[in-house]
Amino acid sequence: MNQGRIWTVVNPTVGLPLLLGSVTVIAILVHFAVLSNTAWFPKYWQGGTVAAAPAAPAAAPAAAPAKK
């Protein structure tokens, strides 16, 4: 463990809950930012359907040159 000596300064019963709590807070903030700054995410959570993109017309096959 690279940072094993940190537990000589910070007690694990204090440090681990602080570490896990900060990770939780950051994850909640990221989710809130995505939820509030995108239009598709709230619809995704509500189960909305996504409209399919209009299909492009099929291209006609190129005509082979006539042989003489």
Side-chain angles (χ1 to χ4, degrees):
M1 185 172 172
N2 290 341
Q3 306 299 327
R5 286 186 271 164
I6 188 68
W7 303 121
T8 61
V9 178
V10 178
N11 193 354
T13 58
V14 174
L16 288 176
L18 284 176
L19 174 69
L20 296 175
S22 64
V23 169
T24 303
V25 168
I26 291 170
I28 290 171
L29 289 175
V30 167
H31 280 83
F32 178 74
V34 170
L35 181 61
S36 62
N37 292 317
T38 61
W40 60 267
F41 200 70
K43 293 176 188 175
Y44 170 76
W45 272 12
Q46 294 299 320
T49 58
V50 176
K67 291 186 180 181
K68 290 186 181 183

